[in-house]
Amino acid sequence: MGSAPVSDPVYVSDTVTTTVKILVVGHFAVGKTTFVGTLSEIRPLRTEETMTRAGELVDDLAGAPDKTTTTVAMDFGRLTLSESLVLYLFGAPGQKRFTRLWEDMLHGALGALVLADTRRLDHSFDIMGLLEEHGVPYAVAVNHFEGAPVFPEADIREALDLLPETPLVTCDAREATSSAGALISLVEYLQTRTPGER
């Protein structure tokens, strides 16, 4: 059976020697599905469903009044960073009722990118707490939303109680270059860590 042409985006190139599982996490309505879809070189797998009135009782729509769909399992995409390195992106649902599902998704993940929203920074605490509890290193990317307040990096670091070495960047999940920069900051951080260090 012959190998697929390198130019075919559906298949991984024969030159790839390393594949890495990366989680894209964050609270409800922070832009995870958009982020994965923006970066994926293949058609992303999405498990979005239309929100119902029943969902209004469990999903906090504060800060996202126009949201009409929500991820109920995961998003999945793929991004080739170099001839030898491919990232598999797994977007996890942000609602607390999906915590068990996303704990399962942590298995085999090298690291996580936490998307945050300056209008709801406190909503990031539970997500970061789970990552720390499971020993998964992460970087934080503040996703840009129209009309959201802009704060100095030092203030955001203090509000999120980030360690000095934890990367903190800003991005716009709708823009590929911006989103790639956020992901690269995580990958660079992971490369600085000692093998076996969690």
Side-chain angles (χ1 to χ4, degrees), residues 89-164:
L89 308 176
F90 289 79
Q95 298 97 312
K96 282 190 175 181
R97 67 181 184 273
F98 293 116
T99 299
R100 178 62 187 268
L101 169 68
W102 101 228
E103 284 179 331
D104 290 340
M105 292 174 64
L106 288 170
H107 294 292
L110 190 63
L113 184 67
V114 179
L115 293 185
D117 179 350
T118 57
R119 298 168 299 181
R120 300 174 286 162
L121 285 177
D122 59 315
H123 290 202
S124 299
F125 293 144
D126 288 342
I127 303 293
M128 294 186 304
L130 273 172
L131 293 172
E132 290 168 3
E133 180 182 330
H134 289 275
V136 177
Y138 62 89
V140 176
V142 176
N143 191 13
H144 172 73
F145 288 93
E146 297 297 331
V150 177
F151 299 108
E153 179 180 325
D155 291 354
I156 295 174
R157 279 189 168 281
E158 183 177 354
L160 293 176
D161 194 25
L162 297 180
L163 294 173

Side-chain angles (χ1 to χ4, degrees), residues 32-105:
K32 300 177 296 292
T33 297
T34 300
F35 185 93
V36 172
T38 296
L39 285 181
S40 183
E41 63 198 19
I42 58 173
R43 183 177 180 180
L45 168 68
R46 291 184 170 145
T47 58
E48 283 196 306
E49 294 292 338
T50 302
M51 296 180 66
T52 63
R53 286 204 173 275
E56 293 176 5
L57 302 175
V58 291
D59 294 331
D60 182 2
L61 293 177
D66 299 326
K67 188 165 177 64
T68 59
T69 61
T70 187
T71 299
V72 295
M74 69 173 182
D75 300 306
F76 173 77
R78 188 186 78 209
L79 178 64
T80 300
L81 279 192
S82 71
E83 287 185 352
S84 60
L85 176 62
V86 165
L87 304 183
Y88 289 114
L89 308 176
F90 289 79
Q95 298 97 312
K96 282 190 175 181
R97 67 181 184 273
F98 293 116
T99 299
R100 178 62 187 268
L101 169 68
W102 101 228
E103 284 179 331
D104 290 340
M105 292 174 64

